[in-house]
Amino acid sequence: MGKIFYIMGKSSTGKDTIFKQLLMDTRIKLKTIVPYTTRPIRRGETNGVEYFFSNEEELQGLESSGKLIELRTYDTFHGKWRYFTALDQQIDLNFHDYLMIGTLDSYNKTKVFFGDKKIVPILIELDDGIRLQRALNREKKQKMPKYEEMCRRFLADSADFSKENIKAAGITRIFYNDNLRCCQNEIVDYILVNL
């Protein structure tokens, strides 16, 4: 039976980069589960790769058909943005292992949906000062930078990924991303042990 290896961490910890590298790693051969969002697409993103960029109508359809695994709503400076995962044609735990990326909240909800034994947490951390500089550099590259939203996310992460919340989620193994290659190799070793 398959497992879902669930990557999470505060914004700008490098989790997206690690996620993409792990998907290409032939040692672990994981499939991905692409989540959905109603937020606008960012420069450099591709629909169906980082997210399926969706709308409220599609979200309501998935919810009414009982296919919604988890849903989060964020009140941003630009309105409500929703992020969600759906039980769609992407997921077949009878035949495949998966790599997924999300928040601590989405991890907890996905764990409730599939059960503790199916979900393996991979929490990535990095110094807050380095994270803030990375976030600022990334936002500057956007056609219309949203600095207020960047700051809101940065502050929200402190509450969302508090030590208490991490402990309550049962996460005991944390991967520190001060060296991308080393962090990635540690995660691969961890996945291989848990396959």
Side-chain angles (χ1 to χ4, degrees):
M1 299 298 270
K3 291 185 180 177
I4 297 172
F5 294 90
Y6 206 101
I7 292 183
M8 67 200 112
K10 296 176 182 177
S11 59
S12 301
T13 54
K15 63 186 179 294
D16 291 312
T17 300
I18 290 171
F19 175 79
K20 290 173 185 173
Q21 293 296 319
L22 291 174
L23 283 177
M24 294 187 300
D25 197 311
T26 57
R27 295 173 290 174
I28 50 179
K29 298 177 185 169
L30 301 176
K31 295 174 93 45
T32 187
I33 300 170
V34 179
Y36 295 75
T37 185
T38 61
R39 77 153 166 79
I41 193 168
R42 292 179 183 151
R43 175 180 275 170
E45 290 181 325
T46 304
N47 189 37
V49 176
E50 293 85 5
Y51 294 97
F52 288 115
F53 292 91
S54 185
N55 57 43
E56 288 293 325
E57 288 179 33
E58 187 175 6
L59 168 59
Q60 297 305 322
L62 289 166
E63 189 169 30
S64 64
S65 65
K67 294 184 177 181
L68 205 59
I69 295 170
E70 59 87 22
L71 167 66
R72 294 155 282 124
T73 302
Y74 299 101
D75 290 316
T76 75
F77 284 94
H78 306 283
K80 288 187 186 289
W81 289 352
R82 300 182 195 276
Y83 294 81
F84 53 100
T85 309
L87 187 59
D88 57 15
Q89 71 283 354
Q90 300 179 83
I91 305 170
D92 188 346
L93 287 170
N94 290 318
F95 297 101
H96 303 289
D97 295 297
Y98 295 89
L99 185 65
M100 197 167 166
I101 189 169
T103 65
L104 185 59
D105 181 50
S106 64
Y107 161 75
N108 283 326
K109 290 175 180 175
T110 303
K111 185 170 67 168
V112 167
F113 190 89
F114 287 108
D116 285 358
K117 297 195 185 310
K118 294 282 185 192
I119 311 295
V120 179
I122 299 171
L123 178 60
I124 299 171
E125 285 195 353
L126 184 62
D127 173 77
D128 283 344
I130 297 170
R131 285 192 320 103
L132 185 57
Q133 187 62 58
R134 283 183 180 179
L136 183 59
N137 292 344
R138 181 177 66 191
E139 203 59 39
K140 282 180 180 179
K141 294 176 185 175
Q142 299 300 313
K143 189 173 183 178
M144 295 184 67
K146 296 177 173 74
Y147 296 115
E148 295 93 347
E149 175 57 19
M150 180 199 79
C151 292
R152 184 206 64 80
R153 283 184 66 199
F154 189 85
L155 294 173
D157 280 344
S158 293
D160 294 345
F161 286 94
S162 69
K163 289 181 181 179
E164 295 79 16
N165 288 346
I166 292 168
K167 183 178 179 182
I171 297 170
T172 57
R173 180 72 165 92
I174 297 172
F175 299 88
Y176 193 76
N177 186 21
D178 59 343
N179 180 302
L180 182 61
R181 174 162 270 135
C182 289
C183 183
Q184 181 180 329
N185 285 331
E186 285 179 28
I187 292 171
V188 168
D189 290 344
Y190 180 72
I191 290 170
L192 288 169
V193 166
N194 285 281
L195 277 174

